C-alpha cells in the first residue's frame, strides 16, 4: 500500500492547510475560547503556559478524527483496516524521524508515552552499574534528573551560574575531562523549562565524543521552537539520543519519542516487556524483537503518533525559522516590558535584545505576592494561564531563588505537616507560535496593575489542589466538564 494511493492518507495530505505565522491562530484549537473570571464576566483565555502544554493544532485533530473511520488493530492484523493502521503508524515514524534528521537505517525511533517515559527508558539502557558515570546538569527537569539517580547509576550534575542560570561550561568541561574512560553519557536539556536558557549542545556533544561518551538531549522544550537535528553520526557535534513529548508540540497528550542509535537498542532488555516486544517465546527462552518493536511494549498509541506527525507537518508549513523568529519577538517585548517595572524580579538571562538566543520561557517573582497568589490573580482576574511553583526543576529553581539549605529543611518540615503555603517558587510565562504581541501586552498590563494595586479578589488556599481560589468561588468547573 502506498500512502498516496489510499483515501485516508490522500485526504489528510490534501486537506492539510497552508499554515503560516500570519494565519496560524485560525488553526489552533480553542484559541478564542472565553473563560469565566471573578465578577461573572467572560474574557478570552490568554494561554501563556506553552512550556507546560501547547494547545493542539486543528489539522492534527482533524487528521486524527478522520483516522477513526479506518482505525483498527496494528501489527499482524490481516484485515484491510489493520494493514492501514500499521502503514499509517510506520509513516508517522518516518515523518517524525525526518523532522529531527534521524536516519532510520542508523537510528531507531521509539514511540513512547511522553518525554519522561523516553528518558526513563534511556536510563535503563545506558545506566551501567559497573562504575560508569552519567553527567547531567543542575538545570534539568526532574525527568532528566531522577532517572539517573536510580538503577545503581552514578550521576554527577554540572553547575549553573546562580545569577543568570546559564550552564557553567567550565564545570561541565572539567567533569567530562576528569571522568574520561568511565563516562558513558552526558545528558543535557536542549532548552530550560525555567529560564529558556539553551545550553551549547553542539559544544557539549563534541566534548562528550572526544572523551568517549555519548550525548543525550532532552529536546522537550526545543523541538517545537527551534530547528533541531540529530546530525550525521560522523559529525563530532551530532546528538546520539533525543527525547520529547507530543503535547508540547501542538499535538494532544499521550505520545512522545525517544530517538537513538539502533545498535544501542539491539542489546539489553527493554524497560517494559510483554506483547509486541518479542520474536519468539518458549517457557524457558525469549528472543527479543528488533528495535523499535522491542521497546514498544503493548498496543501502541497510533492516533497519538498520527496527531504528532500531523502537528509536525503544520510546524513545517509555518517554517521553523519563522516560528523561532516570532517567538523571539514576543520574548523581546515581554522582557523589555518586565524590566521596565519596579517589583519584577526576573530569573535567567534578562537581555531584552537577545544577544544570546534563548527560548520564550520567562520566570519571575512579583514583589509583595507569593507565586501562587500572583498566578491565581492572573487567572481569576484577567483570564491568563501561566504556571507557578518550581516547574518540576526544584534544584534549579531553588538555586535561582537563593533558598538556603536551612530554609529548604524548614519547607520540607512544613510540607510534611501539610502546610504548602510557604513553598518557594516563581511564575512563568511561555508564549508559543500562536500568541500575539497584544496578548503579551495584556499580560504586562495585568502584572503592572497587580504590582500597583494587588489582587482585587479575596482568595483562600484550596487544601486539595494547593492553589489559591476565589472566595466565594467564581464558577463551578462542573459546568464546563464534558462528563
Ligand atoms: C525540559 C523538560 N523535560 C522533560 C519534561 C517532561 O515532559 P512530560 O511531562 O511530557 O513527560 C518537561 C515537561 O515540562 C520539560 O519541560
Amino acid at each position: 500500500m502506498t500512502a498516496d494511493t489510499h483515501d485516508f492518507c490522500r485526504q489528510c495530505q490534501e486537506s492539510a492547510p497552508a499554515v503560516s505565522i500570519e494565519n496560524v491562530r485560525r488553526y489552533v484549537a480553542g484559541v478564542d475560547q472565553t473563560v469565566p473570571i471573578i465578577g461573572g464576566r467572560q474574557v478570552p483565555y490568554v494561554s501563556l503556559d506553552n512550556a507546560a502544554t501547547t494547545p493542539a493544532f486543528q489539522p492534527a485533530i482533524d487528521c486524527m478524527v478522520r483516522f477513526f473511520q479506518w482505525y483498527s488493530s496494528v501489527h499482524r492484523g490481516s484485515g484491510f483496516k489493520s494493514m492501514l493502521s500499521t502503514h499509517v503508524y510506520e509513516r508517522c515514524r518516518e515523518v517524525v524521524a525526518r523532522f529531527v534528521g534521524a536516519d532510520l537505517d542508523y537510528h531507531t525511533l521509539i514511540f513512547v508515552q511522553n518525554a519522561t517515559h523516553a528518558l526513563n527508558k534511556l536510563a535503563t539502557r545506558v545506566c551501567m552499574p559497573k562504575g560508569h558515570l552519567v553527567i547531567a546538569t543542575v538545570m534539568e527537569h526532574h525527568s532528566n534528573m531522577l532517572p539517573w539517580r536510580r538503577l545503581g547509576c552514578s550521576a554527577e550534575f554540572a553547575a549553573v551560574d546562580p545569577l543568570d542560570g546559564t550552564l557553567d561550561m567550565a564545570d561541565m568541561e572539567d567533569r567530562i575531562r576528569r571522568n574520561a574512560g568511565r563516562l558513558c553519557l552526558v545528558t543535557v536539556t536542549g532548552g530550560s523549562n525555567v529560564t529558556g536558557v539553551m545550553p551549547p549542545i553542539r559544544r557539549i556533544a563534541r566534548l562528550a565524543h572526544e572523551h568517549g561518551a555519548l550525548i543525550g538531549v532532552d529536546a522537550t522544550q526545543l523541538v517545537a521552537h527551534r530547528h533541531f537535528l540529530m546530525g550525521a553520526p560522523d559529525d563530532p557535534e551530532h546528538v546520539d539520543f533525543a527525547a520529547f513529548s507530543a503535547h508540547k508540540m501542538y499535538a494532544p497528550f499521550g505520545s512522545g519519542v525517544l530517538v537513538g542509535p539502533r545498535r544501542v537498542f539491539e542489546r539489553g532488555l527493554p524497560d517494559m516487556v510483554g506483547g509486541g516486544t518479542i520474536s519468539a517465546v518458549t517457557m524457558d527462552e525469549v528472543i527479543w524483537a528488533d528495535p523499535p518493536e522491542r521497546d514498544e511494549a503493548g498496543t501502541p498509541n497510533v492516533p497519538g503518533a498520527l496527531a504528532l506527525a500531523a502537528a509536525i507537518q503544520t510546524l513545517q508549513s509555518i517554517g521553523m525559522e519563522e516560528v523561532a523568529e516570532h517567538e523571539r519577538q514576543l520574548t523581546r517585548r515581554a522582557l523589555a516590558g518586565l524590566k521596565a517595572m519596579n517589583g519584577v524580579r526576573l530569573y535567567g538571562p534578562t537581555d531584552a535584545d537577545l544577544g544570546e538566543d534563548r527560548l520564550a520561557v520567562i520566570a519571575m517573582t512579583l514583589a509583595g505576592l507569593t507565586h501562587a497568589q500572583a498566578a491565581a490573580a492572573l487567572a481569576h482576574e484577567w483570564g491568563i494561564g501561566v504556571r507557578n511553583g518550581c516547574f518540576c526543576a526544584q534544584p534549579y529553581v531553588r538555586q535561582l531563588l537563593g533558598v538556603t539549605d536551612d530554609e529548604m529543611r524548614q519547607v520540607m518540615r512544613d510540607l510534611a505537616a501539610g502546610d504548602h503555603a510557604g513553598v518557594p517558587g516563581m511564575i512563568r510565562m511561555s508564549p508559543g507560535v500562536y500568541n500575539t504581541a497584544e496578548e503579551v501586552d495584556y499580560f504586562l498590563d495585568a502584572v503592572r496593575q497587580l504590582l500597583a494595586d494587588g489582587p482585587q479578589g479575596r482568595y483562600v488556599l484550596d487544601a486539595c489542589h494547593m492553589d489559591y481560589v476565589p472566595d466565594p468561588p467564581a464558577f463551578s468547573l462542573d459546568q464546563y466538564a464534558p462528563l
Side-chain angles (χ1 to χ4, degrees):
M1 187 182 309
T2 72
D4 320 311
T5 52
H6 192 262
D7 255 13
F8 164 70
C9 299
R10 196 171 39 72
Q11 280 167 15
C12 268
Q13 281 160 6
E14 284 173 3
S15 63
V19 185
S20 64
I21 281 291
E22 289 73 34
N23 69 12
V24 61
R25 279 181 82 80
R26 261 194 260 152
Y27 300 103
V28 176
V31 78
D32 293 323
Q33 189 65 59
T34 60
V35 296
I37 59 170
I38 289 175
R41 270 195 317 130
Q42 291 273 335
V43 295
Y45 187 63
V46 176
S47 174
L48 292 174
D49 194 16
N50 295 283
T53 290
T54 51
F57 282 144
Q58 194 60 46
I61 298 174
D62 293 344
C63 188
M64 194 170 68
V65 168
R66 208 175 291 124
F67 175 65
F68 284 116
Q69 303 303 317
W70 297 100
Y71 167 86
S72 187
S73 63
V74 288
H75 296 152
R76 287 169 300 281
S78 59
F80 180 86
K81 286 190 173 184
S82 291
M83 287 190 279
L84 182 68
S85 290
T86 306
H87 177 77
V88 166
Y89 187 52
E90 295 309 322
R91 285 268 301 170
C92 293
R93 211 185 294 281
E94 290 164 18
V95 169
V96 181
R98 260 198 309 277
F99 184 59
V100 296
D103 168 1
L104 291 180
D105 286 333
Y106 175 83
H107 293 105
T108 190
L109 187 143
I110 301 163
F111 282 120
V112 291
Q113 291 163 22
N114 48 39
T116 303
H117 184 193
L119 292 160
N120 273 276
K121 186 180 272 298
L122 180 59
T124 62
R125 273 302 201 285
V126 174
C127 255
M128 309 286 177
K130 298 175 290 234
H132 285 170
L133 180 77
V134 172
I135 296 178
T137 81
V138 171
M139 72 165 67
E140 301 309 313
H141 187 279
H142 299 160
S143 295
N144 196 26
M145 180 173 273
L146 298 182
W148 310 108
R149 287 168 38 178
R150 54 198 280 256
L151 303 164
C153 192
S154 305
E156 287 190 3
F157 297 88
V160 294
D161 182 315
L163 290 181
D164 68 3
T166 52
L167 182 62
D168 180 340
M169 271 306 289
D171 185 54
M172 172 62 96
E173 194 163 338
D174 181 49
R175 285 174 195 273
I176 293 177
R177 285 190 197 291
R178 261 192 293 119
N179 289 294
R182 72 182 194 112
L183 180 62
C184 59
L185 182 81
V186 179
T187 177
V188 63
T189 185
S192 161
N193 67 317
V194 178
T195 55
V197 164
M198 295 162 68
I201 52 175
R202 300 295 158 190
R203 211 175 126 200
I204 300 169
R206 178 181 284 274
L207 270 170
H209 292 138
E210 280 170 2
H211 293 83
L214 300 172
I215 175 158
V217 170
D218 173 1
T220 312
Q221 293 294 339
L222 195 60
V223 275
H225 308 284
R226 293 292 183 278
H227 191 209
F228 167 78
L229 294 175
M230 302 293 291
D234 59 354
D235 176 349
E237 300 196 342
H238 75 272
V239 166
D240 295 290
F241 303 97
F244 44 94
S245 274
H247 73 99
K248 296 181 200 283
M249 300 175 69
Y250 305 96
F253 296 123
S255 73
V257 171
L258 174 63
V259 193
R262 164 175 288 270
R263 67 184 145 75
V264 173
F265 297 92
E266 276 167 351
R267 54 176 198 245
L269 285 180
D271 60 333
M272 211 192 273
V273 295
T277 60
I278 55 89
S279 290
V281 179
T282 67
M283 291 312 285
D284 311 306
E285 259 190 279
V286 179
I287 301 175
W288 299 105
D290 289 333
E293 283 78 19
R294 182 195 281 230
D295 268 285
E296 291 185 351
T299 305
N301 177 2
V302 181
L306 178 60
L308 171 59
I312 283 175
Q313 287 180 334
T314 301
L315 281 170
Q316 286 171 322
S317 168
I318 301 168
M320 289 313 294
E321 242 340 291
E322 284 72 11
V323 170
E325 197 38 47
H326 178 73
E327 293 181 6
R328 283 189 199 107
Q329 281 172 23
L330 298 180
T331 309
R332 286 189 196 103
R333 194 176 191 97
L335 283 174
L338 290 165
K339 281 173 76 173
M341 286 181 222
N342 283 330
V344 176
R345 179 161 173 211
L346 292 167
Y347 299 87
T350 58
D351 176 14
D353 295 329
L354 305 196
E356 190 84 25
D357 198 15
R358 47 92 47 86
L359 297 177
V361 178
I362 303 177
M364 70 203 82
T365 47
L366 307 186
L369 292 168
T370 67
H371 57 96
Q373 288 167 330
L378 289 168
H380 295 292
E381 298 175 31
W382 281 276
I384 298 172
V386 294
R387 179 57 63 109
N388 70 289
C390 290
F391 322 121
C392 295
Q394 288 188 15
Y396 187 39
V397 167
R398 205 189 121 186
Q399 273 210 12
L400 292 167
L401 286 171
V403 178
T404 63
D405 288 348
D406 279 350
E407 286 165 339
M408 202 56 208
R409 271 191 287 274
Q410 184 58 47
V411 169
M412 300 296 250
R413 277 196 293 273
D414 292 346
L415 280 173
D419 176 4
H420 292 244
V423 176
M426 305 167 175
I427 62 171
R428 174 186 78 186
M429 63 94 77
S430 52
V433 64
Y434 63 93
N435 287 115
T436 62
E438 291 72 31
E439 287 180 319
V440 170
D441 290 348
Y442 181 70
F443 170 80
L444 294 173
D445 284 345
V447 170
R448 212 172 282 117
Q449 281 189 43
L450 253 185
L451 286 168
D453 306 325
Q456 300 302 292
R458 194 183 110 79
Y459 295 90
V460 289
L461 195 61
D462 168 13
C464 178
H465 297 104
M466 297 308 156
D467 292 328
Y468 281 95
V469 291
D471 179 30
F475 48 81
S476 157
L477 287 177
D478 279 343
Q479 252 177 282
Y480 294 86
L483 296 174

